Amino acid sequence: MAQCDWREKRRQVMSQARRVVIKVGSAVLAGPDGVDSLVIASLARQIAELVASGREVLLVSSGAVAAGRAVLAGRYDPSFLPHRQAASAIGQSRIMHAYDQEFSRHGRIAAQVLLTRDDLDNRERYLNLRNTLSTLFALGAVPVINENDSVAISELVYGDNDCLAGLLVGTVGADLFVNLTSARGVFAENPDENPTAKPMECIDNIADLDLDAMCGAKTTLGTGGMYSKLLSARRVAQLGVPTLILAGREDGALTQAFGDQGVGTFIVSGCKPITRRKFWLAYHHEPQGTLTVDDGAVRALKDKGKSLLPAGIVDVAGEFPVGSMVRVAAVSGEVVALGLCNYASGDLRKIMGLKSTRIAQVLGEAAYEEAVHRDNLLLDPAI
Ligand code: GLU
């Protein structure tokens, strides 16, 4: 995108965004005694200003483990998962207390919501959550969301709050995602190795970036690092939502960014947004298996927008029932799509490589012609 185009786009987005998800990481919030109260005070003040200007803000805040481990001090062992979960339980109430006090100074109510992956991949809970969040917005409250670390075990976890916040952009239909980090934005080169490196002002081709090559290191606090921030930005770009990655420890950075000053890195959204349903299908469910498909099938999916037929499948990995979320991979191993599979893994192994007209002969009935229907398929997934 030409320089003037993205600047104009950014100006429009910042002035017109009405519903914003803001995520703040542990590395921004942590201070020597747990959580830095000055950072919380500054965030609450700036967010209260945004709400007063007619915007609805959902805050995804980490920092529970960092706050709790400061309380536990010498008794805390970071390599022991139950200690991290306990530290989160201890720290979460302290963080919320701090937000509550600071928001109320500006006449705003903070509302805590703790979530696990289970909550968003269950359609009923997902809808309940959406209702609660829209009621909170209507009441002028600021939802403050964190992962429910104390009950989160491997199959329940998002892994990091960047992922959770990105999914919530879809849940609440936000029109902007702001990710507050300990860095001043996204750097093309490592600023520790090259002190003159400057953050990139704009990324207009997030789908084409090689994230593995760009992001070697992770920050020590928090679990995400820049990789997971860019991955989430890529996901929300598919929904048509831009991301701003901004320095969270700089007092006033949010106000400046909404006041049309070009700080941070602006990540332009995709021009052909996917539906919220496809976003929910693809990113709220853990894939249960992988269908490897031949080159002809890859072309049919990618270039012609077709459904995946059993004929194009050369291998089925994993055991899964009908209706499971699966990866669709090329023979090279590259994942080209995520989709809902019409057949269980056992049946699919019997009909893979066969023309659809033979499905009934082999299985007794042909419930579907397609293995994965294109309406249930997300191409180029950010995973
Ligand atoms: N939920 C964790 C916490 O509050 C942090 C997870 C993350 O940093 O992404 O400390």
Side-chain angles (χ1 to χ4, degrees), residues 227-242:
Y227 183 91
S228 67
K229 288 169 189 36
L230 291 173
L231 192 66
S232 281
R234 216 184 124 185
R235 287 184 176 184
V236 305
Q238 289 180 313
L239 264 183
V241 177

Side-chain angles (χ1 to χ4, degrees), residues 195-277:
T196 59
K198 286 203 172 71
M200 298 157 80
E201 290 182 293
C202 171
I203 297 175
D204 63 7
N205 56 346
I206 181 89
D208 299 336
L209 278 190
D210 182 348
L211 302 190
D212 290 308
M214 262 183 92
C215 319
K218 292 188 167 203
T219 47
T220 48
L221 282 162
T223 47
M226 198 47 88
Y227 183 91
S228 67
K229 288 169 189 36
L230 291 173
L231 192 66
S232 281
R234 216 184 124 185
R235 287 184 176 184
V236 305
Q238 289 180 313
L239 264 183
V241 177
T243 296
L244 182 66
I245 296 186
L246 205 57
R249 288 190 71 84
E250 280 176 21
D251 190 21
L254 265 175
T255 308
Q256 274 179 32
F258 280 89
D260 197 22
Q261 290 188 32
V263 283
T265 301
F266 183 67
I267 300 171
V268 178
S269 57
C271 44
K272 281 196 216 140
I274 59 168
T275 59
R276 278 209 259 167
R277 178 181 166 275

Side-chain angles (χ1 to χ4, degrees), residues 26 62-65 146 149 160-161 222-223:
S26 302
S62 303
V65 174
N146 196 359
D149 299 313
D160 61 68
N161 273 351
T223 47

